[in-house]
Amino acid sequence: MQPDADWGRFAPAVARWEHATGRRAPWATDDRNRLSPAFVEWLMGLPAGHVTDVPGLTRTQQLHALGNGVVPQQASAALRILHQRHTAHAAPTAA
């Protein structure tokens, strides 16, 4: 087992997101000190392996897919806000 990462000034935010997602943050970088797709996947709130366990995808392809992806919680909030705005501004229907 690897030792705990030192998140420095980001430790409170990482701890909050770990609590929200229910899982520990994976290492942010791989053994070559490159950004880890598993970390990006975790940051986006996706289930572990949602992208990183897709057979045949390279690290670069995983990062590309994640970079073009949607953060589910953000999309949900946006739809909720749009729905509220729409219903608040909708013209009353004739009875």
Side-chain angles (χ1 to χ4, degrees), residues 22-92:
R23 17 179 225 151
R24 300 268 328 254
W27 287 96
T29 57
D30 65 14
D31 57 350
R32 294 174 54 189
N33 210 31
R34 301 175 304 172
L35 179 62
S36 165
F39 181 69
V40 176
E41 189 175 63
W42 174 81
L43 280 175
M44 294 178 72
L46 298 170
H50 185 74
V51 172
T52 57
D53 286 348
V54 174
L57 288 184
T58 66
R59 176 189 161 275
T60 301
Q61 290 170 328
Q62 291 173 3
L63 288 171
H64 187 81
L66 290 163
N68 286 323
V70 173
V71 175
Q73 297 84 348
Q74 187 176 15
S76 177
L79 290 172
R80 199 170 37 256
I81 290 166
L82 287 171
H83 178 71
Q84 289 168 354
R85 287 182 184 172
H86 175 73
T87 56
H89 297 294

